[in-house]
Amino acid sequence: MGAGVRVSKIVIFLWLAAVAPGLPRATGSTGTAELKAKAEAGDAKAQVALGRAYENGDGVPQNDNLAAVWYRKAAEQGDAEAQNAVGILYRLGRGGPKDHDEAVRWYRRAAKQGNANAMFNVGAAYYNAEGAPYDKIVAFVWFSLAGDVDPAIAEAALKPLLPELRPGWIVEGQLKVGDMYEKGDEVPQNMAAAAKWYRKGADAGHPYGMLKLYHMYAAGQGVARDDIQAAEWFQKAFKSGYGPALFEHANRLYTGSGGLQPNLREASKWYRKAACAGFFPAMFNLGLMYARGEGVKQDNVTAYAWLWMAHANGVKEAKTAVDMLAAKLSPKEIKRAQGKMHGISRC
């Protein structure tokens, strides 16, 4: 997605243009003096209000430098509105040098606390390529997150963006929103919201969303526990040939769980199917089965081939097993294993 295809920039929301609910306001010399006293005593809300007063020239001479000072004091105490405000000043180059990267870092700190305007601003940074790489899908994700907090933001942000997105991109974005809510690393964790967004992707036919809903219904996370719903969503993902669902089926056969009897031979078949569907942890499990002779004839050469392919595709646990088998195999056997790898890569 090159930056040259952008139609227009999305305007950053400047929350400071209006008085935020619950914040004090400087009104006259008496009000300003009281506000300064509270701010100097460490009251974060008063510091934000004083910063806004200096930025807008409300009851005090307009002064961007002092606005930045007071916003930062509140921001460093963890005030989300102040963190967003600091980010905006960095973006505009007011009260200090313009720095889009620093702006995004402050937006993210506020977004982590659930601040809708900051979430919007992160999305706008991705859309405008200001402090973040140009990416319309990631912009969609952040605008959607902001819209869950304040629907008016989603309407304003997504209306011009949606016509630029392919249906598949929208589904990808919906699932990413679900992931972010589930992990809680960049926004407050919200399992109910995660389930809502996974359902959007699942209803659009994506097996990742289906498998996520299976796990959530099975565990009662974000939704009421429902074994029937869990089974239905699992079957949909499984029938689609989705590698992680095939892998889960193989795990059930291996351990004898999920209502299935242990069947190592069948487990090996489904690990192979999952591996050939591109789910690399299945390569690791199948390699171990060949090394141990579980469900298949014991074969260190074939085991080495599967384990090496797993390692090559990022399965970290495979490295130790590969090294152990390499010590047991002759150069001729390793060459045979390398020949098998070509077949695995095309399965």
Side-chain angles (χ1 to χ4, degrees):
M1 287 183 268
V5 302
R6 290 205 303 279
V7 176
S8 62
K9 285 197 172 187
I10 289 179
V11 178
I12 300 288
F13 271 178
L14 298 181
W15 78 277
L16 303 170
V19 178
L23 289 181
R25 177 170 185 163
T27 54
S29 58
T30 301
T32 301
E34 292 177 353
L35 192 60
K36 283 184 177 179
K38 290 182 178 179
E40 289 170 353
D43 186 313
K45 291 301 181 186
Q47 291 169 347
V48 174
L50 188 57
R52 186 186 65 244
Y54 276 115
E55 184 183 19
N56 298 333
D58 181 9
V60 293
Q62 199 281 333
N63 188 318
D64 285 340
N65 290 331
L66 286 176
V69 166
W70 287 107
Y71 285 144
R72 184 177 285 273
K73 285 181 180 291
E76 289 173 348
Q77 290 195 68
D79 187 278
E81 296 288 359
Q83 290 167 347
N84 184 55
V86 170
I88 291 169
L89 291 183
Y90 270 115
R91 176 184 178 267
L92 299 176
R94 293 174 59 179
K98 181 180 290 189
D99 188 332
H100 290 304
D101 291 340
E102 191 67 15
V104 173
R105 280 192 283 272
W106 282 101
Y107 296 151
R108 287 186 182 278
R109 290 177 68 175
K112 172 66 175 172
Q113 299 189 65
N115 183 276
N117 284 337
M119 293 174 184
F120 177 95
N121 287 344
V122 175
Y126 277 100
Y127 187 84
N128 297 329
E130 294 181 343
Y134 176 58
D135 193 320
K136 287 190 284 193
I137 297 175
V138 178
F140 168 85
V141 168
W142 281 101
F143 292 153
S144 298
L145 290 162
D148 275 356
V149 181
D150 185 346
I153 292 180
E155 183 178 355
L158 293 174
K159 187 175 181 179
L161 177 60
L162 286 174
E164 300 180 32
L165 299 177
R166 298 173 185 172
W169 295 353
I170 293 174
V171 174
E172 180 183 337
Q174 291 168 337
L175 295 170
K176 176 63 176 175
V177 174
D179 282 339
M180 290 178 69
Y181 275 127
E182 183 179 6
K183 293 174 183 176
D185 293 335
E186 297 182 84
V187 296
Q189 188 181 52
N190 187 328
M191 298 302 286
K196 179 188 79 172
W197 285 94
Y198 286 143
R199 184 178 292 275
K200 289 177 184 287
D203 287 342
H206 201 292
Y208 179 82
M210 296 172 186
L211 196 60
K212 281 292 186 179
L213 285 178
Y214 152 66
H215 285 294
M216 298 187 88
Y217 275 110
Q221 291 184 320
V223 293
R225 179 169 177 171
D226 188 327
D227 291 339
I228 295 176
Q229 284 264 32
E232 289 177 355
W233 283 114
F234 179 79
Q235 284 301 313
K236 288 181 180 181
F238 177 76
K239 289 179 179 178
S240 74
Y242 185 49
L246 304 181
F247 179 78
E248 184 120 8
H249 181 64
N251 284 340
R252 292 176 173 185
L253 288 164
Y254 185 90
T255 61
S257 59
L260 300 177
Q261 294 296 316
N263 188 325
L264 297 183
R265 185 176 181 82
E266 281 297 305
S268 69
K269 291 180 180 179
W270 285 103
Y271 281 134
R272 182 183 294 272
K273 288 178 183 291
C276 292
F279 193 63
F280 305 125
M283 295 180 175
F284 175 65
N285 284 19
L286 186 57
L288 291 181
M289 294 188 79
Y290 272 105
R292 298 167 180 165
E294 294 180 331
V296 293
K297 183 179 179 180
Q298 199 279 335
D299 184 341
N300 282 342
V301 171
T302 302
Y304 182 88
W306 281 107
L307 290 167
W308 193 95
M309 290 296 290
H311 170 61
N313 284 286
V315 182
K316 295 179 181 178
E317 297 85 351
K319 178 66 166 58
T320 300
V322 168
D323 290 343
M324 289 178 64
L325 281 177
K328 296 180 179 180
L329 297 176
S330 67
K332 184 176 181 180
E333 288 173 322
I334 289 179
K335 187 173 182 180
R336 282 175 51 211
Q338 291 170 342
K340 288 178 177 287
M341 292 174 200
H342 295 295
I344 290 172
S345 64
R346 296 192 300 269
C347 74

